[in-house]
């Protein structure tokens, strides 16, 4: 124990979620960060009414322990992004002891690596400690195992990708086992600097007994101050998202993605959001429907009773000023042939007035979007503020047109929009003020203001100024990334191009 005095054990009482039959006390491993701070896996304490922390022992399953401290539920906290349904994601918890441990030759603490520590050197050796049970029988005895990191290439070929998982492999030193039940939550220590580099999470039995652990560098802020990590807003209920629809479009046909998905088949679908503003009309991004002969619109998307409607290209209208070479006017309107049936989970959102001004950085707005952060995609909402256009331009560069677009930022620890076409709603009047267009990693998120486009949104499809100068229907086609707009009428062609005149067939 003098060699592993920083290792602690966790006794989890019966009726814990890991023991659905409620008969057996289970065990986990932990490590001692200070006299009052213990770190372990979240799944070891999740939903437990209390746990016992034991220290200075080689056999954690012994009934009579010299150091055994009961810790009530309110004194341990797991990462706010943790989900017991998803293996590995944010699986870390901190236990705070009201009564400090007494350090001795067999009880002590260990330091953490710095935030800039790199875990990508396959030649570096680490040591995993844990109170694993061999062959699922016998006592939970403290053991250790030396291992190496798996290279990024091998890890990508062997395991599902994850932002929070790294894997180790190595020769077992204890009866042929690397990791066994009870090792969860144990420390992974660098042999180079004798500091904690990770927390053991589990074992993948299908890959030769390779173990999984969380890199500690991702969780230093949480360990130092759990309250500093803001919780993810909870998923929305169907009623709260009743004005949000989902668009599914075949990537094969989408003009904006033809280069990216040149080999895609018709079954490969791109998903994004849309906004219901009447029983027959919804708004979405132009680049997500341009070129599609059809799309599917799903309403009541968060409910088991979701309704999926097929919409053909004659029901899709792209703003005549939209161009693939830029983001302004990136808006489309879809008109249903049959009106939607509104209910508690399907409804509309009002549009702001034309004179609504979006230049007050202090005004709060709510953004709705699908977000992937806890391992699954959820529709959530976030409160944020507008950014001054002068601050957006330097950060976004030429892609940002301050005359037609605006931007906002989000705390990226809470996630960021994973889909476009989602609504932005004013907290002042609860009306639609914008639609998310695109985001670039680490930069403000661009959105399309609604107020300047109200005339276009509200005008009927057969409005006079939808006719070209020859009196025929306007036919707008996006020929390439360089052609801005092509207007065709039998033998006459009007083209605005950066390179050359384009002939329409």
């Amino acid at each position: 124990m003098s060699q592993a005095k920083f290792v602690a054990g966790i006794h989890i009482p019966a009726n814990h979620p890991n023991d659905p039959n409620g008969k057996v006390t289970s065990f986990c491993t932990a490590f001692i960060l200070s006299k009052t701070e213990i770190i372990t896996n979240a799944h070891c304490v999740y939903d437990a009414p209390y746990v016992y922390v034991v220290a200075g022992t080689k056999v954690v399953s012994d009934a009579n322990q010299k150091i055994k401290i009961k810790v009530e539920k309110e004194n341990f906290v797991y990462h706010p992004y943790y989900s017991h349904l998803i293996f590995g994601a944010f699986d870390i918890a901190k236990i705070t002891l009201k009564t400090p441990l007494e350090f001795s030759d067999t009880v002590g603490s260990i330091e953490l690596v710095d935030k800039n520590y790199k875990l990508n050197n396959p030649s570096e050796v680490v040591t995993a400690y844990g109170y694993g049970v061999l062959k699922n029988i016998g006592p939970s005895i403290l053991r250790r195992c030396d291992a190496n990191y798996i290279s990024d290439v091998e890890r990508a070929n062997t395991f599902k990708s994850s932002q929070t998982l790294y894997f180790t492999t190595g020769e077992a030193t204890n009866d042929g086992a690397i990791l066994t039940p009870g090792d969860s939550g144990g420390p992974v220590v660098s042999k180079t600097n004798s500091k904690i580099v990770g927390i053991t999470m589990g074992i993948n039995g299908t890959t030769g007994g390779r173990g999984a652990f969380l890199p500690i560098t991702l969780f230093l802020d949480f360990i130092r101050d759990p309250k500093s990590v803001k919780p993810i807003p909870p998923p929305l209920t169907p009623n709260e998202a009743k004005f949000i629809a989902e668009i599914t479009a075949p990537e094969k046909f989408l003009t904006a993605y033809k280069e990216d998905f040149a080999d895609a088949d018709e079954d490969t679908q791109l998903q994004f959001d849309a906004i219901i503003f009447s029983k027959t009309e919804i708004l979405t991004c132009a680049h997500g429907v341009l070129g599609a002969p059809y799309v599917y619109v799903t309403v009541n998307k968060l409910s088991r009773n979701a309704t999926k409607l097929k919409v053909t290209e004659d029901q899709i209208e792209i703003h005549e000023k939209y161009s693939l070479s830029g983001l302004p006017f990136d808006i489309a309107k879809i008109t249903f042939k049959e009106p939607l049936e509104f209910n508690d989970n399907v409804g509309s959102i009002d549009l702001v007035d034309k004179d609504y001004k979006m230049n007050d950085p202090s005004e709060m707005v709510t953004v709705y979007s699908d977000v992937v952060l806890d391992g699954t995609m959820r529709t959530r909402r976030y409160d944020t503020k507008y950014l001054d256009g002068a601050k957006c331009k330097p950060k976004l560069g030429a892609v940002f047109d301050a005359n037609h677009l605006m931007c906002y930022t989000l705390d990226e620890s809470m996630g960021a929009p994973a889909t476009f076409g989602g609504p932005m709603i004013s907290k002042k009047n609860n009306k639609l003020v914008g639609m998310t267009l695109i985001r670039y990693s680490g930069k403000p998120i661009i959105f399309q203001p609604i107020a300047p486009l109200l005339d276009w949104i509200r005008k009927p499809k057969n409005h006079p100024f939808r006719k070209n100068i020859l009196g025929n229907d306007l036919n707008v086609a996006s020929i390439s990334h360089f052609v801005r707009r092509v207007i065709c009428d039998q033998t006459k062609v009007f083209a605005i191009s950066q390179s050359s005149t384009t002939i329409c067939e």
Side-chain angles (χ1 to χ4, degrees), residues 63-137:
N64 299 315
Q65 297 284 354
K66 291 182 180 179
I67 301 175
K68 185 177 182 179
I69 303 171
K70 186 176 182 179
V71 183
E72 301 292 344
K73 185 175 183 177
E74 58 266 23
N75 292 319
F76 47 80
V77 57
Y78 38 85
H79 198 286
Y81 300 173
Y82 170 70
S83 170
H84 70 285
L85 300 175
I86 304 166
F87 172 76
F90 305 98
D91 193 357
I92 183 173
K94 183 176 183 179
I95 298 173
T96 302
L97 306 178
K98 288 186 175 181
T99 303
L101 293 169
E102 290 188 14
F103 282 181
S104 64
D105 290 341
T106 57
V107 178
S109 61
I110 188 168
E111 293 183 32
L112 308 176
V113 290
D114 300 327
K115 205 165 188 174
N116 58 2
Y117 175 80
K118 303 298 182 185
L119 296 107
N120 56 1
N121 183 4
S123 66
E124 183 175 351
V125 179
V126 294
T127 303
Y129 296 78
Y131 287 106
V133 179
L134 296 182
K135 300 178 182 178
N136 292 318
I137 59 174

Side-chain angles (χ1 to χ4, degrees), residues 6 95 132 156 184 208 213 265 271 302 304 308 322 364 379 382-384 406 439 458 465 493:
F6 49 86
I95 298 173
S184 292
F213 71 93
D265 55 33
Q271 289 186 337
L302 300 186
R304 294 180 180 178
K308 195 171 186 178
Y322 171 64
M364 297 296 295
T379 302
Y382 301 85
D383 289 344
T384 186
M406 292 195 69
R439 69 177 296 265
R458 288 173 172 160
F465 73 71
V493 176

